[in-house]
Amino acid sequence: MHAKVATWDCKISRFCLESQETFESTPDMFYMHTFLARNSLPHDKIAPMQPSLEKLRKFFRLEHENGYIDTAIIGGLAKMLDFWEGEARTDGIAEEVIQAVISRLRSYEKLSPEGRAESLKGLWKRIAETYPEAGQKPKTQTPAPRPPRQVEKETPTPKVESAPAPRPAPQQPKPRPVPPPRSESFAGAKTSQTPAALNAELTVLNGVGIANAKSLEKLGMKTLGDMLYYFPRRYEDYTQLKPIKSLMYGEVVTIIGTVQSVHSRPIKGGKSSMQEVIISDGTGALRLSFFNNPWLINKLKSGSAISVSGKIDQYLGRLVMNAPDFEDIEMENLHTNRIVPIYSLTENIAQKWLRKQMSQVTSHWAPAVVDALPDSIRLAARLVSIGEALTQIHFPSSQDRLKLARERLGFDEIFYLQMGVLQQKRDWKSVDGRRFPVSDEWMQSRLATLPFDLTPAQQTALADIRADLDSGKPMNRLVQGDVGSGKTVVAALGTSIVIGAGAQAAIMAPTSILAEQHHRSFVNLLARESGILNESEIRLLVGSTPESEKEDIRLGLMDGTIKIVIGTHALIEDPVVFKDLQFIVIDEQHRFGVEQRAALRNKGSNPHLLVMTATPIPRSLALTVFGDLDISVIDQLPTGRQPINTYVLRPQERERAFTVIRGQVQHGKQAFIVYPLIDESEKIEARAAVDDFEKLSHEIFADLKLGLLHGRMKPAEKDEVMTKFRDKEFDILVSTTVVEVGVDVPNSTVMLIEGADRFGLAQLHQLRGRVGRGSDQSFCLLIPTREDAAENERLQAMSQTNSGFELADLDLKTRGPGEFLGTRQAGFATTLKMANITDVKLIEKAREQAQSLFDRDPYLEQSEHALLKEAFERFWGKGKGDVS
């Protein structure tokens, strides 16, 4: 055993030594390059660098140190253009330099790491040609002190002593040490203070060969540091020892006994074998059954004492344990008689084997991880150290200590997430936005043109938008409200403020049919009813728009004769150029990717941004993932709307639902029938749209007109089906969830949802919102896949409330945050390994500490926060996303 440990330590030490030599020989790219820049002025007469260029160099250097993985700025290096462009113009930087920076950074994300390095080198050379001071090394920058090389003292290398490397000439600048390459999944502290061995490959461990390492890599583990942060998915608590005489069927327990007998017998005609072991503890005997483990005959000897853990089963009236875990009681109990971690596995990796490797790494290296969280924050939040948390999360001593470990690791994730959104919010607010003030009299005259009164919630949201537009900073607001709550009206009124000052607005929707619906609403509200604009000044631009009309719209946007354009992702295509884009509205913003939103925003100069969603966001998510946005809530429906009567039916009551649909159609109304699947699946027990459509149209509703809509149809085909349904050419629309966000059909009064148990409550609420758009009583009928008391109880919540916010909170607790995140925060579903997004108490604690630190040091630039900054950048490097 000692020999094995010595071998492992030797391998680790060799890795540390080799790594340190490699890191110290790598030159600093930027200083090597800038010293080569040819300056026309003497060194002592070069002017100090402009702040915007200094900031540019700072981020470029950070990107270099990160290995060109596009993490110097949250959301990617191109994100700095949001604030840098304005600062550069304020500093009087030449326009050709600004444009060069913009051009290089916008294409930076698409390049390989090698291409990124060359791109930044070339860009800095271009800047240095115009600004000689950019080629000057800052006087305050001194080489970082080399840490003492303890490894060299312990492991001298005769080769180095006999053939020392030649000493560099005194006049040559000595390159700064470059930090070692970092594992993207290891969220540890600064590499200068973290043991280099944590970046070692897993083959340095005893028992881990190349094949095992490749298998572990499939689980996301490449280094020892990765193993520390590969957390168990659950635990088995075997700490409660019981005598055999007190065992009960179904218990999961640990017992200690002496082996009485071991024998093996063939089963299944000799193709397999069963091993039976009888153990006794003086109070009784218990049979242990194993399958196809003939080696147990030699492993378990009569009279040996073992500890056994597993579930008590029953066979022929006697209690048994099938395939339990066991250990000799002299051994360290990694698998029994404790709280045992259970890890997610992959092919060729066994639970016991992985647990043994985890114990090796955790016991040796968890205490060595430097805590990135400052003591002041850790003590104020009453958190255990990171070393204690990493140790206890893998091999907890008790349930209480496991809880403390979870709290610490979850706190870190929420804390880093909160710091990130606070930084993004400050970055967005750090630039100036054009002010658009309007008087109360002006607004009252606009409201007087509406054919209805705004609800109090709409009035509050409109007041928020007015304040944002007059603040001198770019708006970054989310308006959330149920389907039909009147978000579009509020957005249109905000748009009227901006266009009234001569600027332009763009409204982007996820589908052509929804874009057309918004176009009709904006034309009615701002042209026909109010006369603010001519209809020709509000245009629709979607994929199916004829090319000649597209060209006409592009020209109108370029010269400013078109004030409002409404469309899909066609708005962000390169040919679309605005004269003065100042207001952007994005509907159902979680359905657009980060790049799409950023591309539209870049078409204006710090435009005001308003995003809308019909998905109610629970308070805990509003505090974290959406924490950078100012949020307005419209939680009231317009007068005249009736609550939708919702019923949960058993599968055998389907005919009752068909009777309701037929009755509504006979009264001139229409209905939706929604399915969770397009086609039937062998793996998933649920009804499917295409298969049921045939039966519905030919047998059940043969005298009615049915349409079919699903996600595999082309966009033009979807639009055609929805348009026909809106125009009453279909009585019933059979669909998948693509109707969740779709056209407004006030004539539809029934929503039947098959396989309702396969949907989250938030999604069911969205689907329910497709009906009840008019003044007629509407119905939502939910049919689960099968009768299940627990599942049906969850669905009953739909029949008890029409509040999307109540359902959203319940959904978050039962199904997690996936229902709400969409594509908004790419990576957060996996980045938050320990944080429970429903734990509002922990979220508020982390938010309070993050806000306090942010007020003192928003970008973690103080020296005492250096470790925290690196851990923060690792976190956002994995789960980077644009929160606008």
Side-chain angles (χ1 to χ4, degrees):
M1 181 65 188
H2 294 298
K4 289 184 178 180
V5 172
T7 302
W8 180 36
D9 287 343
C10 181
K11 293 165 82 176
I12 293 287
S13 300
R14 187 170 65 252
F15 171 84
C16 296
L17 179 60
E18 292 171 352
S19 298
Q20 195 169 10
E21 289 171 348
T22 301
F23 302 153
E24 291 176 354
S25 64
T26 305
D28 181 320
M29 180 276 287
F30 278 102
Y31 290 131
M32 180 184 72
H33 174 77
T34 52
F35 276 124
L36 295 176
R38 298 191 178 276
N39 302 323
S40 58
L41 293 173
H43 182 83
D44 59 348
K45 294 185 179 180
I46 295 177
M49 194 184 303
Q50 296 281 22
S52 55
L53 293 182
E54 187 64 60
K55 184 174 291 186
L56 198 65
R57 173 158 62 180
K58 169 186 162 186
F59 287 120
F60 282 12
R61 186 165 63 244
L62 180 58
E63 182 65 6
H64 163 65
E65 292 173 352
N66 286 354
Y68 302 101
I69 56 175
D70 204 14
T71 57
I73 291 283
I74 297 169
L77 201 57
K79 286 286 295 175
M80 72 176 296
L81 294 176
D82 293 346
F83 56 87
W84 184 85
E85 186 179 350
E87 291 181 9
R89 289 198 169 92
T90 301
D91 289 345
I93 302 299
E95 187 62 28
E96 59 268 22
V97 172
I98 293 176
Q99 292 304 318
V101 173
I102 292 172
S103 176
R104 293 288 180 97
L105 295 192
R106 281 183 176 169
S107 62
Y108 184 78
E109 183 184 16
K110 300 175 183 177
L111 301 176
S112 66
E114 295 78 11
R116 290 171 180 170
E118 289 301 317
S119 178
L120 295 190
K121 285 180 186 177
L123 179 55
W124 197 252
K125 181 179 179 181
R126 166 73 179 82
I127 293 171
E129 289 171 355
T130 306
Y131 297 93
E133 61 268 25
Q136 177 184 354
K137 182 175 180 179
K139 296 178 181 178
T140 57
Q141 193 72 35
T142 58
R146 182 177 301 183
R149 296 178 61 171
Q150 300 291 338
V151 175
E152 289 190 63
K153 294 179 182 179
E154 297 171 7
T155 316
T157 323
K159 219 175 191 181
V160 175
E161 293 176 1
S162 60
R167 184 174 297 177
Q171 67 272 18
Q172 295 208 359
K174 184 178 179 180
R176 298 178 307 148
V178 178
R182 296 172 295 177
S183 165
E184 283 307 300
S185 54
F186 170 45
K190 192 152 187 167
T191 50
S192 61
Q193 297 190 30
T194 297
L198 289 179
N199 290 294
E201 295 182 357
L202 300 183
T203 49
V204 301
L205 292 173
N206 284 318
V208 180
I210 295 176
N212 294 135
K214 287 182 178 179
S215 297
L216 291 172
E217 189 172 344
K218 295 177 183 177
L219 297 173
M221 289 180 278
K222 296 181 181 179
T223 68
L224 301 184
D226 293 337
M227 290 190 75
L228 284 179
Y229 280 82
Y230 186 75
F231 302 134
R233 60 185 174 88
R234 63 182 179 86
Y235 302 85
E236 295 283 8
D237 190 349
Y238 294 138
T239 57
Q240 301 301 316
L241 285 171
K242 293 191 72 174
I244 291 176
K245 72 173 185 178
S246 302
L247 297 179
M248 301 288 289
Y249 172 74
E251 286 183 313
V252 178
V253 294
T254 291
I255 58 175
I256 292 178
T258 304
V259 176
Q260 301 295 311
S261 65
V262 184
H263 69 274
S264 179
R265 60 184 176 88
I267 58 175
K268 296 183 179 180
K271 294 181 180 179
S272 301
S273 65
M274 173 181 283
Q275 291 70 44
E276 294 180 335
V277 181
I278 305 298
I279 64 170
S280 172
D281 67 351
T283 68
L286 181 69
R287 183 188 302 270
L288 314 178
S289 298
F290 301 87
F291 298 90
N292 295 321
N293 288 310
W295 55 271
L296 287 175
I297 300 298
N298 296 322
K299 170 70 175 176
L300 297 175
K301 301 295 185 181
S302 179
S304 60
I306 61 172
S307 172
V308 183
S309 298
K311 183 178 180 181
I312 302 298
D313 217 327
Q314 200 168 19
Y315 178 70
L316 298 178
R318 292 187 175 184
L319 298 182
V320 298
M321 261 192 192
N322 292 317
D325 287 325
F326 68 91
E327 288 180 327
D328 296 335
I329 59 173
E330 296 82 17
M331 295 173 58
E332 180 189 4
N333 293 332
L334 281 181
H335 315 292
T336 60
N337 199 22
R338 64 169 302 136
I339 301 174
V340 178
I342 306 297
Y343 297 93
S344 295
L345 303 175
T346 188
E347 189 177 5
N348 300 323
I349 299 296
Q351 191 69 242
K352 270 190 176 182
W353 180 87
L354 179 57
R355 205 178 288 141
K356 182 179 179 182
Q357 306 307 321
M358 284 294 187
S359 176
Q360 211 182 154
V361 174
T362 303
S363 61
H364 201 96
W365 292 110
V369 176
V370 181
D371 204 329
L373 205 63
D375 289 342
S376 58
I377 294 177
R378 187 167 63 83
L379 295 174
R382 297 184 177 182
L383 301 170
V384 299
S385 68
I386 191 64
E388 167 75 2
L390 290 172
T391 300
Q392 293 296 322
I393 203 67
H394 287 284
F395 297 99
S397 304
S398 65
Q399 290 290 352
D400 288 341
R401 295 182 77 175
L402 174 59
K403 182 180 178 182
L404 292 173
R406 283 183 178 277
E407 182 181 15
R408 166 60 202 267
L409 295 168
F411 177 93
D412 283 5
E413 292 174 347
I414 297 297
F415 181 84
Y416 296 142
L417 177 58
Q418 194 59 220
M419 285 294 293
V421 295
L422 287 171
Q423 283 189 9
Q424 289 190 344
K425 189 169 188 175
R426 172 169 286 201
D427 288 344
W428 185 240
K429 296 294 185 183
S430 67
V431 297
D432 293 331
R434 191 186 304 178
R435 296 183 60 184
F436 293 95
V438 292
S439 65
D440 291 340
E441 293 75 19
W442 185 93
M443 182 53 67
Q444 285 302 321
S445 67
R446 295 290 178 266
L447 295 176
T449 64
L450 298 177
F452 48 80
D453 294 329
L454 295 185
T455 64
Q458 285 176 304
Q459 293 175 14
T460 300
L462 179 59
D464 292 339
I465 292 172
R466 283 182 63 187
D468 288 346
L469 291 174
D470 192 21
S471 69
K473 298 294 180 180
M475 175 197 297
N476 197 30
R477 183 166 296 278
L478 170 67
V479 174
Q480 58 170 324
D482 283 348
V483 175
S485 62
K487 299 185 296 295
T488 305
V489 175
V490 172
L493 289 168
T495 304
S496 71
I497 296 174
V498 174
I499 61 173
Q504 293 171 299
I507 290 84
M508 188 159 72
T511 64
S512 297
I513 198 73
L514 191 55
E516 290 176 16
Q517 180 176 306
H518 283 319
H519 180 253
R520 284 193 300 274
S521 298
F522 273 70
V523 168
N524 287 335
L525 291 168
L526 301 182
R528 294 173 185 168
E529 293 173 359
S530 65
I532 298 173
L533 295 174
N534 295 319
E535 289 190 31
S536 62
E537 294 177 294
I538 308 174
R539 301 297 291 273
L540 177 69
L541 181 62
V542 294
S544 60
T545 304
E547 189 56 42
S548 59
E549 188 176 343
K550 284 183 179 178
E551 184 61 27
D552 182 51
I553 293 173
R554 293 186 193 114
L555 292 173
L557 292 173
M558 194 179 300
D559 64 22
T561 55
I562 294 178
K563 299 300 182 185
I564 301 174
V565 62
I566 302 166
T568 56
H569 62 278
L571 293 180
I572 63 178
E573 294 173 356
D574 286 338
V576 179
V577 178
F578 293 83
K579 181 182 181 182
D580 188 18
L581 178 62
Q582 287 295 320
F583 192 57
I584 298 171
V585 179
I586 300 180
D587 196 13
E588 291 304 330
Q589 55 91 31
H590 64 285
R591 291 176 176 264
F592 291 101
V594 173
E595 297 81 3
Q596 290 173 306
R597 293 194 297 274
L600 180 58
R601 198 166 62 187
N602 286 337
K603 290 184 178 291
S605 177
N606 300 331
H608 296 279
L609 182 68
L610 178 70
V611 294
M612 305 189 297
T613 181
T615 303
I617 299 170
R619 179 166 171 260
S620 58
L621 282 180
L623 289 173
T624 52
V625 179
F626 296 85
D628 68 308
L629 295 167
D630 298 312
I631 298 178
S632 296
V633 177
I634 302 180
D635 54 3
Q636 296 169 306
L637 291 177
T639 54
R641 294 282 178 87
Q642 298 187 47
I644 301 167
N645 290 340
T646 304
Y647 303 95
V648 180
L649 304 178
R650 294 180 296 171
Q652 55 265 41
E653 294 179 304
R654 189 171 282 105
E655 286 298 329
R656 292 179 59 192
F658 294 156
T659 300
V660 173
I661 290 175
R662 185 174 292 280
Q664 289 294 302
V665 172
Q666 288 174 350
H667 285 88
K669 305 302 178 184
Q670 294 166 280
F672 292 93
I673 303 179
V674 175
Y675 291 84
L677 302 176
I678 299 175
D679 299 303
E680 285 188 0
S681 168
E682 293 182 2
K683 298 181 180 179
I684 302 175
E685 181 188 351
R687 301 176 75 93
V690 173
D691 301 276
D692 271 25
F693 177 75
E694 296 298 321
K695 183 177 180 180
L696 290 170
S697 56
H698 293 103
E699 298 179 23
I700 299 171
F701 298 115
D703 55 327
L704 302 179
K705 294 171 288 184
L706 277 69
L708 177 64
L709 181 69
H710 58 75
R712 285 208 296 262
M713 297 170 68
K714 295 178 180 178
E717 294 173 332
K718 294 180 191 176
D719 291 345
E720 181 182 1
V721 171
M722 285 300 298
T723 300
K724 286 183 177 180
F725 185 61
R726 181 194 65 200
D727 296 340
K728 302 182 182 179
E729 294 184 34
F730 296 134
D731 300 308
I732 301 171
L733 183 63
V734 179
S735 174
T736 57
T737 56
V738 292
V739 299
E740 181 184 349
V741 175
V743 71
D744 186 1
V745 185
N747 194 51
S748 59
T749 57
V750 182
M751 169 63 70
L752 168 59
I753 303 176
E754 290 277 6
D757 53 307
R758 302 195 63 82
F759 299 96
L761 296 180
Q763 193 172 24
L764 289 174
H765 183 67
Q766 283 267 59
L767 291 168
R768 177 169 63 179
R770 292 293 103 211
V771 298
R773 309 289 294 224
S775 57
D776 298 305
Q777 180 63 62
S778 295
F779 306 89
C780 179
L781 310 175
L782 308 175
I783 302 180
T785 307
R786 59 185 181 276
E787 280 193 72
D788 183 291
E791 186 55 54
N792 290 353
E793 183 179 350
R794 182 179 73 92
L795 295 178
Q796 287 295 341
M798 289 286 296
S799 64
Q800 295 164 6
T801 180
N802 273 267
S803 168
F805 294 95
E806 291 181 26
L807 295 172
D809 279 320
L810 179 59
D811 219 13
L812 183 64
K813 293 173 183 174
T814 56
R815 292 171 67 93
E819 292 288 320
F820 307 94
L821 296 183
T823 58
R824 181 176 191 277
Q825 287 288 356
F828 279 146
T830 56
T831 299
L832 300 181
K833 296 177 182 179
M834 275 293 146
N836 182 352
I837 207 71
T838 65
D839 189 347
V840 177
K841 186 176 180 181
L842 179 64
I843 287 170
E844 290 183 336
K845 181 195 289 187
R847 178 182 172 84
E848 179 185 352
Q849 293 298 327
Q851 185 68 63
S852 175
L853 177 62
F854 187 80
D855 291 341
R856 303 192 307 271
D857 186 13
Y859 295 99
L860 304 176
E861 294 172 332
Q862 296 174 10
S863 58
E864 63 266 31
H865 298 146
L867 306 182
L868 182 62
K869 184 175 184 179
E870 179 168 326
F872 166 78
E873 288 169 353
R874 290 182 191 280
F875 176 87
W876 277 87
K878 284 188 64 182
K880 62 181 179 179
D882 181 12
V883 288
S884 58

